[in-house]
Amino acid sequence: MRIFRVGSVLLSIGLKHASGIGKMKVQILSCTHIQRSKGYAQQKDAGQLTRSLLLEPRGTVNVKPNLQIIADDVKCSHVAARSARCVRVMAASLSTALDVHFTIPKSDTKRPIFFTSPIRHNPTKKRLAISCNSSTSETSSSTKPPQNISESPSPKNPSLSDQLKPLSATTLSTKDHQAQLLSRPKSTWVNPTRPKRSVLSLQRQKKSLYSYNPQIRELKLFAKKLSGSGEDEFESVLETIPYPPTRENALLILNSLRPWQKTRLFFNWIKTQNVFPMETIFYNVTMKSLRYGLQFDIIEELANEMVSNEIQLDNITYSTIITCAKKCSRFDKAVEWFERMYKTGLMPDEVTYSAILDVYAKLGKVEEVLSLYERGVASGWKPDPITFSVLAKMFGEAGDYDGIRYVLQEMKSLDVQPNLVVYNTLLEAMGKAGKPGLARSLFEEMVDSGLTPNEKTLTALAKIYGKARWAKDAMDLWERMKSNNWPMDFILYNTLLNMCADLGLVEEAEMLFKDMKISEKCRPDSWTFTAMLNIYGSGGNADKSMELFEEMSKLGIGLNIMGCTCLVQCLGKARRIDDLVKVFNVAIDGGVKLDDRFCGCLLSVASLCDESEDFTKVLACLKQANPKLVAFVKLIEGEETSFETLKEEFRAVVRDAAIETRRPFCNCLIDICRKRDLHGRAHELLYLGTLYGLYPDLHHKTVKEWSLDVRSLSVGAALTALEEWMGTLTKFVQRDEELPELFSAHTGSGTHKFSQGLANSFDSHVKKLAAPFRQSEERAGHFVATREDLVSWVQSRIPSSVIA
């Protein structure tokens, strides 16, 4: 008999799909044929083996046996598998192989048999035998494959499952133990003169040996006295120890000490006594106290001391070190000690697994998190809800919706019921991933499961609805809160108020504000008033804003910078400059730190002032916050200021301003120039703003269309940009240069209830210039013009210029 082997290896890196097909034709009679891909064999014995190794945590493999047999007397075996659980096993232990053998009895027919798709046989005629062969155990099957096929190399190290067996045997209760607890108790004598108890305990738990120790009370009182002593009194108190420091007594005192400093001092004192050898448990108790004090360096010092003294570090030791490193944000140390723990052969417990997964997640090592998770699950570890909370938070921070779905599927497959913490984390993840509909469904699922949402749950959902601008759903949620008496706190109320401010829901916000006033636990605070000031300020209701300001003064609630900015902007639009100055002085006296956003608000108010007196008052306020900005305003008003001087000073102003306020500063400065009839200066500032990259998306050019995008500009800056653009287009037409078929201008359309947008002002200026642009009927804030209309408009204005 001759044996033929054909092997093929397919390595796929970075591909979503890969396939490999092998083919071999055998024409020798009475032979054994083994092929490790695809093919067909003739006569006697045939075996087919496909082994797939997944190196990606969420990878999949599809194996389809394809064996063609043309013979009268044939015995064959298919060796192929596809199993999600077995995939985890292979991912955890690289040397574990899974063989699934399909045996067909001798055929009674002479026709060919093809296995090109999954086969359904009658159970009485065919038999399917599955055997999983690993490196540590051999599972016998009723139908064995040929001996030459099952060649699986043995790993050098035991698998995680084998390493977990001794741990589970010593920590988990067995069926015999449960049977002992549930067995019938011994006879219990009851005093017939007294009524019988309604419930008798089946079996009393054995109390600790310390409970029978008559010295325990005195030792605990001594530990309390030792905890309350000062460092200079510590040694003198130690001399009054009531009993000799035996192993049990010392351990009891050590575990009863609360300040980590006292625990460390007593631990060092025990070592100096040399009464008994120091064991692992003493170090563990000391490390536990040090972990409460976030003293990782001392814990690491003790761990190294254990290693040097050849004292064994157990699971609790490593778990304490890793969790303390995580609490101290020493993520690199947590990873280092976890790797050291794994090399020793110790298996992490649930707390350690969850802690190290969180560490990897905070380090942004997504692949390491998934690999460790898969390895743990494959080894028999069942993740708890905290683990899934860590995974959901990791995917939520990245906005990975597929990852969130993976977490939900894993919880369902492992039959892990989410708790409130997991639901809250998943809701926050859904919000960051931009999935409000799925967040709503998840919330309903949580309520249907019997869990009561807390303040964090409702706050996360309110933020999601506000971000998605789902006003109706948000207010329905508020009604459910009141009807079900769900808990509400400051953050939740303020979140709902901010949502109302974003959506312009004035009446709803006033109802919420009224509820907070009559509430016993959630009285309005500074951020509550800020949200209401934002709502009234957006609507231009200066009277309501000032009423709130007076109410805050009576209640002793100080203005914050955001509330001050909203109030000043509202009063500026209403041209109530004296009230603005009053609010500004109160803010200065209250210690409010004025930032560049507030300076931009004052600069915007200055651009709205019609009277020189009001303009001067606003600049006086602005001078206290930003003197350089006021000096530049004075500079642009001077006719003798050259362009080079203007350029240098503008560069200095932009350099000193916060990045997010640079473009608003330029917009307001252009508005001030147009308000003062300094149109030339306005065009110079627009040019400088474009030169320094403040308007990167102002112009767009394609072969068929040229467009002007003024959505990020103020009204004055947008009108200046339109004039500049029309002047440039006029020069193109006069030079007979090639032009596109279509021209467009985008002003945008505000989705806010109080948003005015640029469309009205832009449309009025287009009509003033008699420009050929017309507003699109299909898209709001969109103006279009054809090439023919633009050429006709330019020719009708020649030789006059667009800009006077």
Side-chain angles (χ1 to χ4, degrees):
M1 178 182 293
R2 284 177 286 180
I3 299 177
F4 294 87
R5 299 176 185 271
V6 178
S8 62
V9 177
L10 176 63
L11 178 63
S12 173
I13 300 177
L15 299 178
K16 293 183 178 180
H17 175 75
S19 62
I21 300 175
K23 185 176 181 181
M24 182 177 181
K25 186 180 295 184
V26 182
Q27 297 181 351
I28 302 175
L29 299 179
S30 300
C31 70
T32 299
H33 167 226
I34 300 172
Q35 180 177 345
R36 296 183 178 175
S37 53
K38 290 184 180 181
Y40 59 88
Q42 183 179 11
Q43 291 292 334
K44 198 62 180 176
D45 237 344
Q48 186 180 15
L49 171 63
T50 302
R51 286 176 177 166
S52 302
L53 177 63
L54 297 179
L55 300 180
E56 289 293 330
R58 285 184 282 178
T60 59
V61 59
N62 298 319
V63 179
K64 183 178 71 173
N66 189 1
L67 183 61
Q68 179 182 358
I69 305 171
I70 307 174
D72 296 333
D73 189 7
V74 171
K75 181 172 66 175
C76 70
S77 61
H78 288 272
V79 187
R82 183 183 67 178
S83 171
R85 185 64 180 173
C86 293
V87 164
R88 285 198 181 109
V89 175
M90 288 189 289
S93 179
L94 301 182
S95 62
T96 302
L98 176 67
D99 298 345
V100 180
H101 301 282
F102 179 61
T103 303
I104 304 176
K106 298 180 181 181
S107 175
D108 295 333
T109 62
K110 296 185 179 180
R111 59 187 178 183
I113 302 175
F114 297 93
F115 301 99
T116 58
S117 62
I119 307 173
R120 297 181 180 178
H121 294 284
N122 191 330
T124 60
K125 296 181 180 181
K126 308 293 182 182
R127 181 173 57 185
L128 176 65
I130 302 178
S131 62
C132 296
N133 300 330
S134 66
S135 59
T136 58
S137 62
E138 296 181 359
T139 305
S140 60
S141 176
S142 59
T143 306
K144 297 183 179 180
Q147 294 296 327
N148 295 330
I149 296 177
S150 58
E151 297 176 358
S152 177
S154 300
K156 297 180 180 179
N157 300 322
S159 65
L160 294 178
S161 179
D162 294 331
Q163 296 178 25
L164 273 176
K165 286 181 181 179
L167 181 62
S168 61
T170 56
T171 59
L172 301 180
S173 58
T174 61
K175 295 182 179 180
D176 296 337
H177 181 59
Q178 294 176 358
Q180 181 183 0
L181 290 178
L182 298 177
S183 62
R184 185 176 179 179
K186 297 180 180 180
S187 300
T188 305
W189 180 81
V190 180
N191 190 344
T193 61
R194 294 184 180 181
K196 185 179 180 180
R197 294 182 182 179
S198 58
V199 177
L200 289 178
S201 175
L202 290 178
Q203 180 179 354
R204 293 185 179 182
Q205 298 292 335
K206 292 184 178 181
K207 296 182 179 180
S208 173
L209 296 176
Y210 297 119
S211 301
Y212 301 101
N213 188 350
Q215 306 171 359
I216 187 171
R217 177 178 176 82
E218 298 182 48
L219 290 173
K220 284 192 173 182
L221 290 175
F222 173 76
K224 185 176 181 181
K225 181 181 179 181
L226 199 61
S227 299
S229 63
E231 293 186 4
D232 52 346
E233 303 174 351
F234 190 81
E235 293 185 1
S236 60
V237 175
L238 278 175
E239 296 177 356
T240 63
I241 186 170
Y243 299 101
T246 62
R247 178 185 180 278
E248 290 74 15
N249 293 342
L251 189 59
L252 175 63
I253 297 173
L254 187 66
N255 192 41
S256 301
L257 294 174
R258 286 294 171 262
W260 65 267
Q261 296 90 342
K262 304 300 173 55
T263 304
R264 186 187 181 191
L265 289 174
F266 185 73
F267 176 74
N268 292 333
W269 179 79
I270 294 174
K271 291 191 295 184
T272 60
Q273 298 302 306
N274 295 324
V275 179
F276 47 83
M278 298 302 296
E279 302 175 11
T280 305
I281 188 172
F282 286 92
Y283 284 90
N284 290 343
V285 173
T286 306
M287 287 181 180
K288 181 188 70 173
S289 179
L290 292 170
R291 182 178 60 183
Y292 289 134
L294 302 179
Q295 301 297 316
F296 175 77
D297 292 332
I298 303 178
I299 289 179
E300 189 175 33
E301 180 182 341
L302 290 178
N304 292 328
E305 179 182 318
M306 293 177 69
V307 174
S308 60
N309 294 337
E310 298 183 354
I311 300 176
Q312 183 179 4
L313 281 72
D314 59 6
N315 197 300
I316 299 176
T317 312
Y318 283 106
S319 178
T320 306
I321 297 172
I322 294 170
T323 52
C324 182
K326 171 181 170 291
K327 289 183 178 182
C328 298
S329 300
R330 302 283 295 274
F331 302 136
D332 55 338
K333 287 292 184 179
V335 173
E336 175 186 339
W337 280 98
F338 178 75
E339 292 176 351
R340 292 178 62 173
M341 175 186 183
Y342 213 77
K343 290 179 181 178
T344 61
L346 287 174
M347 294 311 304
D349 56 7
E350 289 80 359
V351 177
T352 309
Y353 256 124
S354 299
I356 198 64
L357 285 175
D358 193 18
V359 167
Y360 278 125
K362 289 181 178 179
L363 291 174
K365 298 181 178 182
V366 180
E367 293 300 327
E368 285 81 352
V369 172
L370 295 177
S371 176
L372 180 62
Y373 169 79
E374 292 286 345
R375 188 170 60 186
V377 172
S379 305
W381 166 63
K382 185 177 181 180
D384 57 0
I386 298 177
T387 303
F388 289 109
S389 177
V390 171
L391 294 176
K393 184 178 180 181
M394 178 186 68
F395 289 122
E397 293 290 340
D400 187 353
Y401 171 63
D402 293 332
I404 299 172
R405 284 177 49 193
Y406 169 73
V407 173
L408 293 173
Q409 292 171 359
E410 284 292 299
M411 294 183 71
K412 186 176 181 180
S413 64
L414 295 174
D415 196 21
V416 176
Q417 181 63 32
N419 57 18
L420 191 58
V421 176
V422 177
Y423 273 117
N424 291 345
T425 306
L426 288 172
L427 283 174
E428 292 178 355
M430 290 291 186
K432 293 179 180 179
K435 302 293 180 181
L438 294 173
R440 179 175 57 188
S441 301
L442 190 66
F443 175 75
E444 296 299 336
E445 176 188 323
M446 184 196 72
V447 175
D448 293 341
S449 66
L451 293 175
T452 301
N454 60 7
E455 298 90 338
K456 190 174 182 180
T457 312
L458 301 172
T459 301
L461 196 60
K463 287 182 179 179
I464 293 172
Y465 288 160
K467 185 178 180 180
R469 312 189 74 82
W470 286 12
K472 184 178 182 302
D473 293 88
M475 299 317 297
D476 290 344
L477 176 64
W478 179 48
E479 294 295 335
R480 291 178 66 181
M481 294 179 197
K482 294 191 297 182
S483 61
N484 295 322
N485 292 323
W486 286 342
M488 298 184 67
D489 59 359
F490 289 105
I491 300 177
L492 179 55
Y493 267 114
N494 292 339
T495 300
L496 290 172
L497 284 174
N498 288 325
M499 182 206 64
C500 293
D502 292 337
L503 302 178
L505 304 176
V506 181
E507 296 180 0
E508 291 82 354
E510 290 176 342
M511 292 173 59
L512 282 168
F513 188 59
K514 184 178 179 181
D515 282 353
M516 289 191 71
K517 286 183 177 181
I518 62 178
S519 174
E520 297 180 357
K521 298 181 180 180
C522 303
R523 306 287 293 179
D525 60 355
S526 177
W527 294 106
T528 309
F529 280 96
T530 298
M532 293 303 298
L533 287 173
N534 187 17
I535 293 172
Y536 291 138
S538 300
N541 196 335
D543 294 332
K544 288 282 188 180
S545 298
M546 285 304 296
E547 289 179 6
L548 281 177
F549 174 70
E550 297 295 339
E551 184 178 355
M552 292 178 67
S553 300
K554 292 180 181 179
L555 295 175
I557 299 176
L559 270 176
N560 54 35
I561 184 60
M562 187 177 297
C564 186
T565 302
C566 294
L567 188 55
V568 166
Q569 188 174 14
C570 178
L571 295 173
K573 290 181 179 179
R575 308 298 194 274
R576 297 174 59 168
I577 305 302
D578 292 335
D579 289 335
L580 184 150
V581 174
K582 177 183 177 181
V583 172
F584 178 81
N585 292 330
V586 171
I588 292 295
D589 295 338
V592 177
K593 186 178 180 181
L594 306 179
D595 56 4
D596 285 342
R597 291 179 182 271
F598 182 78
C599 295
C601 179
L602 286 177
L603 200 62
S604 176
V605 172
S607 67
L608 299 175
C609 293
D610 298 320
E611 302 293 335
S612 299
E613 183 180 356
D614 293 341
F615 183 75
T616 304
K617 292 179 180 179
V618 175
L619 288 186
C621 295
L622 181 59
K623 188 175 182 180
Q624 298 183 50
N626 194 332
K628 291 184 178 180
L629 192 57
V630 175
F632 184 77
V633 173
K634 298 293 185 181
L635 186 66
I636 61 178
E637 290 182 320
E639 297 180 359
E640 68 282 358
T641 303
S642 64
F643 177 74
E644 293 299 328
T645 303
L646 186 71
K647 181 178 179 180
E648 292 299 325
E649 294 299 326
F650 180 81
R651 182 180 180 182
V653 170
V654 171
R655 183 184 64 246
D656 296 338
I659 296 177
E660 65 274 7
T661 62
R662 292 174 180 175
R663 183 164 56 195
F665 275 12
C666 189
N667 287 339
C668 293
L669 291 171
I670 294 174
D671 291 343
I672 290 174
C673 290
R674 294 189 69 91
K675 193 72 174 181
R676 302 295 171 193
D677 293 330
L678 302 173
H679 292 276
R681 288 284 190 223
H683 283 271
E684 290 176 350
L685 290 175
L686 179 65
Y687 169 76
L688 292 176
T690 307
L691 179 65
Y692 291 119
L694 303 183
Y695 306 108
D697 301 323
L698 186 59
H699 298 283
H700 297 274
K701 285 186 178 183
T702 62
V703 177
K704 296 183 178 180
E705 182 181 358
W706 289 359
S707 61
L708 177 71
D709 191 346
V710 297
R711 287 177 291 185
S712 62
L713 278 67
S714 62
V715 174
L719 301 184
T720 304
L722 175 63
E723 295 171 355
E724 192 74 28
W725 193 45
M726 297 304 295
T728 303
L729 293 178
T730 299
K731 295 178 182 179
F732 276 109
V733 173
Q734 291 175 348
R735 292 197 296 261
D736 289 334
E737 296 187 15
E738 187 176 357
L739 298 174
E741 298 178 359
L742 188 66
F743 298 88
S744 62
H746 306 275
T747 61
S749 57
T751 56
H752 195 284
K753 179 179 178 180
F754 304 119
S755 177
Q756 301 297 325
L758 293 173
N760 294 334
S761 300
F762 197 86
D763 185 41
S764 300
H765 201 64
V766 165
K767 292 178 180 178
K768 180 181 178 180
L769 296 175
F773 289 93
R774 62 183 183 278
Q775 192 163 357
S776 174
E777 298 178 356
E778 299 176 355
R779 298 175 58 185
H782 194 75
F783 297 81
V784 294
T786 62
R787 178 174 52 194
E788 291 76 12
D789 294 337
L790 181 65
V791 172
S792 300
W793 176 78
V794 172
Q795 292 176 350
S796 65
R797 294 176 63 86
I798 294 176
S800 62
S801 176
V802 177
I803 304 175

